[in-house]
């Protein structure tokens, strides 16, 4: 057992593998192309044995990374610990978990291919999954894979499910980024005000990185830059991002925002019905006090899927956006349930 | 001197007049048609004398009313006190001030005519102003009148200036409601969540009024109802309001929101150029940390007016939306300055 | 009916009288010695008639004054409106209400005699009460008087009840300042940090007064100065106050804080039993989420009174320190109930 | 290099050792007696070489543990990363770092011996240090050791320095728990209110642990229990803690609080002068907006040490209690500077 598994008091094992990604090589932001991948194998997993396991792919949220997701916090249970406990308690069958690293210098890639950030979707689909299937005893087909995540990780799970049919058999979006009109637009005034203090996006990011501690508005601003780098890159060059608002007045730029919304899963249901139909489980949840209004987005998405004749598991609960990891207790068994056993 | 003038330690006089309004008579919300009007006359004002005074019309903000605006608070200076002090200090010429009451059961009328609320614009223009001109020694023409206010009062000042050319010679909008995409849209998720707990808008309002103390979300919700009652009434019947979001999912209803935006001064510059050109002073200010992004709206409005060849006095300052009454120190002398003297 | 009564939509009448106080004349802070006194008379009150009324003396809280207490706020009911409504609804007998003005340049007098502030207790007992008894048709004896207030007004009600036996027959303390170890001590670090930026208390106060808007810490600091001016004045000279903490390190000064605690009603029960016994009603309430821990103080005070064999009406409720005016619905009828009728 | 070092992008190595502690064996709370110990060795460290290194002992704060301290967060630098970067940049000589695990079921041990929690001071001094000296190439004497930490870790650094002379040659307290009158007393009302809802401390803790998410007041309450378990245990039995306030009224219990204050470094300067004199560096810092008033405590402590003729490095900075890890940039080189080289 690795140090980490012991620190986290896991019954299963936790490896940190390295992926040398071609999809990310030479990315304009100069983020590492060699990325960590956390892989959990359940108790009883035997690399030499005959049993094969389905894999749950976990996508972290904005500002997250592998280190954050495997990190411990007093009285909290992280996603690996949840899975381990549920398996040990017999509440779900043993499965593997792989935590993909999608962090960028701007806080996160949203798991989309971007000329500005690098191709994080391609990296996940064409590099991470093959690595896992090659290295571990997996059920190496769509029926043996689910994808899930929280916040931007929930968005990523939806994006990869919609854009890469034939890859996964189920998804779960926990408080996922949805309906950008409510989720992101309210942050544009803050981003405009902050950026105005700097000559350029690059100057802002450089200052941000150099600060030992930053005002809240700076975090909100870099977040909008992170989304812009994913959804409306201006060029294959660092910090060249088309902003969804006028830099001088702050007015919404509908044309750029339309590029953002083209990624919004709420807007893509009609175009992605075949991919959605493939799924054995479509799981969407959100707290009804979500600070970003993501519960509204979840309702809109669910409504549209149901209107298209799809069944959806849709949960709402009385909570806000933070620390909702206890929802894994619901989703992980549901995801495992629908996947193939060897 | 009335009690109020003494309580507020004014040098001038402060009367509370009564307006029996026809424009508000029989309004569906059953708000009083008999309304208070606070009228300040400066030191030296002589009802029997020959001197005549310009009048600054002050419009209170959402949740405000005459009682609130003339109320005192420790270490604070209200609008009447500001005016009185500035005049006594010789920093501006003596003028009159009239505070219009635009409160409704839903928190405020936005000073627009609405089949749901009653005709608050008409009441202000056709009843309040004639009353003041008839009762006091005013300069009874556009050149002797300015209109100003803060927040929804700033919106009101803009609305009345745009919609009733020939009435005022100057306006001042302090942190006025502008660019509703940022100012109001972010509150729709909260309003949807709150209203969902009630069978109807009426049931919500009834519960709201009966509560000794309400959660913050309830205030945000009734505020959206107040704006809807002004901008998108559903009928000439209490609590029949077209909501700018889907009651079930919360999704934006673009058609209804378009009716709101038709009132947004940012959208009306092109159509109201003659009215805007009449103005001797166009004053717009806002704090750069305004919680409702109204500084962005101010920039957009100012930009559009300047693009149309108009001069604008535009101030930004490092503050949020609350307690910015100290801005009167700037605006009141500027307004008085451009008005006619007898 | 005065303007104010109409603005507040009262059925009774509301006068603002003037008290030219000897007790406050020449006070070192140079606060006005001529003070407003709001006097409410119920419907049916006849200055020429034969009926006489008991009087409830209302003491405002820190930063309050007469103007603030009679002011209106959207959807809120002030103390005069509460009383008026309860009387009109027949839920309590008609009584008079007198609102004493105890504001000072430092935010409030705590209704105690202080060489630094002036003698606000003496002014209330020896000047306000005689004025009311002389001017209105009152029941001019202890049995016809109660005293109540919220926050520092609750403290004042207790202080005057304890220090001036034979004056009132009942008191009500709503979220009153009690048990200063929890109520005030936690603010000392903030006060020390703020004052350190100024050469003297006077320099701080002068800067405070000149600012159009102040940081929260400045309000917390002047509040501590206000209490110090009342409880531990350093001299009969403005801004000479013994602070309960070391100005350099911030360390608690036990000797000065002991002078504060000598005013703490929790510490005075044993010494004031005769005064307490006289009371026909001892009413104490507080919200269980009071930000200043005043619910703890209320429990301690109530416990000590009960241990001394006294009955106490003690209510707790699920709320914080602000906007608890709805408690008047409980206390005002109870107070009126125990007072003499003519 | 371990996985962790790679995840954290360290140049040095990071091991997670296991300490099987006798001092913690059979502790009433049933916390693990087998504890992780993170040990960082700098680049160039050679287990077979001849060089020996001084060791900085790092004590985490309340709610922290080894996993939390070695965890990564976007755009943040943890203590190991700080040290690694400073060494690699040549800004300080290469030293080792050992992070002690002092977590308990109640959130933290404060690194004191307690019949309730177990003997965390003894464990640190008699087990952790010998393990490090035995396992690594250290300079195994006081001159080769410093102890430091933040918040409760700063307290721990002071406690161990005062209580175990001859062990360390330097300490650094970053925003350390000091002057409990300000630091802890203001939380007692909240703790009383919370505990009142439960039959016993045990019932509260059990409920706390079972909740997926807890209200803020619950965290504040368990924190007070954690300190009580360290400073005023009631018995060598889980959840038998003498509370520093009356469980029914919330009133301060001076006798119990005196037991807390006996641990307060501010109160121990006079009694621990020999231990303090041994130190080559006494480093104390705190932000001037510390929410717990710990800057005041730092001033008091520093004042008393200076009054006793000791030199102190005392820094204040414009920040609050959170995320002040950038202070390691100052303290770590200073600590390393005064320690022996082999």
């Amino acid at each position: 057992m690795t140090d980490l598994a012991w620190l986290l008091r896991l019954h299963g094992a936790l490896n940190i593998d390295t992926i040398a990604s071609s999809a990310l090589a030479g990315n304009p932001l100069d983020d590492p192309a060699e990325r960590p991948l956390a892989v959990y194998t359940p108790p009883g997993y035997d690399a030499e044995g005959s049993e094969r396991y389905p894999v749950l792919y976990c996508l972290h949220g904005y500002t997250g990374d592998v280190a954050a997701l495997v990190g411990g916090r007093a009285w909290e249970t992280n996603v690996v610990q949840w899975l381990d406990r549920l398996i040990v308690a017999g509440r779900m069958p043993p499965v593997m978990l792989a935590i993909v690293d999608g962090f960028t210098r701007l806080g996160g890639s949203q798991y989309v291919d971007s000329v500005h950030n690098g191709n994080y979707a391609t990296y996940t689909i064409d590099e991470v999954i093959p690595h896992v299937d090659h290295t571990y005893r997996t059920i190496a087909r769509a029926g043996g894979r689910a994808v899930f995540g929280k916040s931007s990780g929930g968005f990523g799970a939806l994006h990869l499910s919609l854009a890469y049919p034939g890859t996964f058999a189920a998804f779960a979006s926990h408080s996922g980024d949805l309906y950008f009109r409510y989720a992101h637009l309210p942050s544009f005034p803050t981003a405009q005000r902050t950026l105005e203090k700097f000559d350029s996006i690059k100057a802002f990011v450089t200052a941000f990185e150099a600060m030992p501690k930053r005002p809240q508005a700076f975090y909100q601003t870099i977040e909008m830059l992170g989304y812009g780098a994913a959804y409306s890159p201006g060029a294959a060059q660092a910090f060249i991002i088309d902003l969804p608002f006028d830099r001088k007045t702050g007015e919404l730029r509908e044309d750029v925002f339309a590029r953002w919304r083209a990624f919004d899963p709420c807007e893509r249901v009609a175009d992605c019905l075949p991919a959605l139909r493939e799924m054995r489980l479509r799981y969407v949840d959100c707290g009804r006090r979500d600070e970003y209004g993501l519960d509204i987005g979840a309702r809109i998405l669910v409504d549209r899927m149901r209107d298209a004749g799809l069944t959806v598991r849709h949960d709402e609960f009385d909570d806000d956006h933070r620390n909702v990891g206890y929802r894994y207790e619901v989703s992980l068994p549901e995801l495992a349930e629908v996947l193939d056993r060897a």
Side-chain angles (χ1 to χ4, degrees), chain A:
Chain A
M1 228 182 288
T2 66
D3 294 333
L4 267 171
W6 185 74
L7 261 187
L8 299 174
R9 308 202 177 262
L10 301 177
H11 297 80
L14 184 60
N15 300 312
I16 308 291
D17 292 353
T18 303
I19 308 277
S21 168
S22 302
L24 305 182
N27 68 77
L29 271 179
D30 209 21
D31 277 308
E34 190 171 86
R35 309 296 285 236
L37 176 78
V39 181
Y40 166 88
T41 53
Y45 176 90
D46 178 359
E48 314 299 322
S50 61
E51 186 151 12
R52 293 191 162 273
Y53 295 86
V55 184
L56 308 184
Y57 285 86
C58 175
L59 309 180
H60 60 76
Y62 181 75
T63 75
D65 62 11
V66 167
L69 256 70
V70 302
R73 275 178 47 209
W75 302 304
E76 299 297 328
T77 306
N78 72 24
V79 64
V80 192
Q81 291 170 322
W82 267 116
L83 182 63
D84 189 66
R85 289 180 194 183
L86 289 164
I87 291 171
V88 168
R91 294 178 52 192
M92 61 181 285
V95 298
M96 290 176 55
L97 176 78
I99 305 176
V100 182
D101 181 48
F103 188 70
T104 75
R105 197 172 161 190
L106 296 175
S109 63
Q110 304 300 101
Y111 307 94
V112 306
D113 285 355
S114 154
V115 295
H116 182 279
N117 291 337
N119 296 321
Y120 283 84
T122 300
Y123 143 75
T124 305
I125 300 297
D126 290 352
E127 298 178 331
V128 170
I129 292 177
H131 166 88
V132 172
D133 283 336
H134 181 263
T135 315
Y136 297 89
R137 298 197 54 80
T138 66
I139 296 169
R141 58 182 179 268
R145 297 188 203 107
V147 62
F148 73 100
K150 194 223 141 190
S151 198
S152 287
F155 167 83
L158 287 161
H159 173 66
L160 297 182
S161 295
L162 293 170
Y164 296 89
T167 309
F168 304 102
F171 67 76
S173 166
H174 293 285
S175 307
D177 295 8
L178 287 168
Y179 204 60
F180 297 172
R181 267 194 187 82
Y182 291 158
H184 302 325
L185 181 148
S187 296
F188 295 168
T190 296
Q192 190 274 334
R193 293 166 187 157
T194 302
L195 288 173
E196 186 172 71
K197 297 171 186 160
F198 296 90
D199 283 341
S200 65
I201 291 174
K202 181 178 181 178
F204 164 72
V205 175
T206 306
F208 179 94
E209 291 176 335
M211 296 171 83
K213 202 165 170 174
R214 300 105 182 167
Q216 185 52 37
F218 277 41
Y219 285 104
Q220 211 175 344
T221 300
I222 203 164
E223 187 179 357
M224 292 305 112
L225 294 178
Y227 300 156
Y231 303 144
S232 59
Q237 192 182 333
F239 312 122
I240 306 300
I241 298 168
D242 291 336
L243 295 174
F245 49 83
D246 187 276
R247 269 209 69 170
K248 188 178 144 232
T249 63
E251 185 175 1
L252 185 68
R253 284 183 58 188
E254 301 272 13
D255 55 335
V256 177
F257 194 46
R259 290 164 62 194
W260 287 42
R261 285 191 291 113
F263 281 94
D264 186 339
C266 288
E267 313 287 346
R268 294 156 75 188
V269 170
D271 291 342
C272 298
L273 281 175
L276 283 165
R277 280 203 195 94
E278 279 177 18
M279 295 287 149
R280 301 175 188 172
L281 174 67
R282 290 163 288 269
Y283 176 107
V284 176
D285 75 17
C286 197
R288 270 299 263 172
R289 292 184 275 116
D290 191 284
E291 293 87 340
Y292 307 96
L294 302 177
D295 53 322
I296 304 291
R299 285 193 172 194
I300 296 169
L301 178 72
V302 167
D303 239 40
R304 292 184 185 175
M305 289 197 284
R306 287 181 177 159
D307 285 350
L310 300 168
T311 55
V312 189
R313 164 82 191 240
H314 178 218
D315 283 8
E316 295 187 333
F317 47 94
D318 181 28
D319 205 343
D320 58 29
H321 193 68
R322 283 158 302 196
N323 296 342
V324 295
Y326 58 87
R327 295 296 309 169
Y328 294 136
E329 192 173 6
V330 177
S331 63
L332 299 184
E334 298 252 346
L335 290 171
E337 177 76 19
V338 301
L339 296 186
D340 294 347
R341 301 308 303 181

